[in-house]
Amino acid sequence: MPGLGVRPSWHDVVVLHRLQFPLPVNYVCYALWGCLFAGPALLRTPAALLAVAADLLLIVAPLALNVAVDMATDSQHADKGYLAGAAGRIGRSRALNWSIAELAVAFAAVVAIGVGWGRWWPLGIAVVTVAAQLLYNVEPARLKRRGLAGSVAFGVASVGLPVLLGYTAVAPAVPATVWLIIAGASLISVGRTVWWALPDYDADVASRIATPTVRYGPARTLVVACGFVVVGLVLLGWGLWARYGAWALLGLAPHGGFLALLVAQLPATLRGHPPRAGSQLRRTLPVATLGEVLTALVPLLGG
């Protein structure tokens, strides 16, 4: 039964799956990247369409799980109480069942890719993706409370593995340049995951969740986030340049701008004023989203 005696709305469903702008644009990019890097023309094939659908579900279903699991923590957060409210109106059991059903559809899609085209790597990647998200969210592992291990698990499962799934759905082998792109995008995602947790310090302390912010403090955590983004940019740029030449700069420039915004947040964070969740979503993250969109254009223009 939904919580709080209030009928859930479609807005609650949107919130549960973290579909507030600009996040859905990011999810679509990650679902498309793999097929685009394999060859834009392949995006029109049935296998690619199934892979994109599976990727989208493998991204949003664990987010619904995360919101349902984190109700207690989010309810103590000034900027994220709306997440707990949406999960409460929907009901934890219903939210979990919804997530499971979405994952089941995703697995049906990757099994269809294997049966129809003999490509079984997407199924294995889907299994690893779900395993990483479960380890991140669910006890006894609950990597979210284990410092950087949680950020790495979530960051890779949300970006790197979906890109790899899409590529292997339409191509027989993954070249070194694509591995560099996947590694770079994964590390940038890990850095964003570390940065995203900065406003959660008080709520995480109250809930005894040892996120990187709790373990290292907001300022050091922001430096760590910048470090991941820097290394990720180097690898992403290397792979894009080797594969598409100067068109790589189109995707790299906004990501560089995102890094600059993170560095600019350091003085205030050192003074005890880390970025707030609302400003992260509305002001900083759209720059990263622009980078994801332009990165998707690189293989279209330079392929």
Side-chain angles (χ1 to χ4, degrees), residues 97-165:
N97 289 338
W98 205 323
S99 179
I100 292 170
E102 290 164 345
L103 291 175
V105 174
F107 273 97
V110 293
V111 168
I113 293 171
V115 172
W117 293 273
R119 301 192 187 282
W120 291 102
W121 275 109
L123 176 59
I125 295 164
V127 170
V128 174
T129 301
V130 173
Q133 294 284 14
L134 290 175
L135 288 171
Y136 176 78
N137 284 293
V138 179
E139 298 290 358
R142 185 72 160 139
L143 293 180
K144 183 173 181 178
R145 60 180 174 82
R146 301 183 187 275
L148 290 175
S151 301
V152 171
F154 183 85
V156 174
S158 299
V159 178
L161 291 177
V163 177
L164 184 61
L165 188 154

Side-chain angles (χ1 to χ4, degrees), residues 18-31:
R18 301 310 305 266
L19 295 174
Q20 308 95 311
F21 183 82
L23 294 171
V25 180
N26 292 41
Y27 308 154
V28 172
C29 288
Y30 306 145

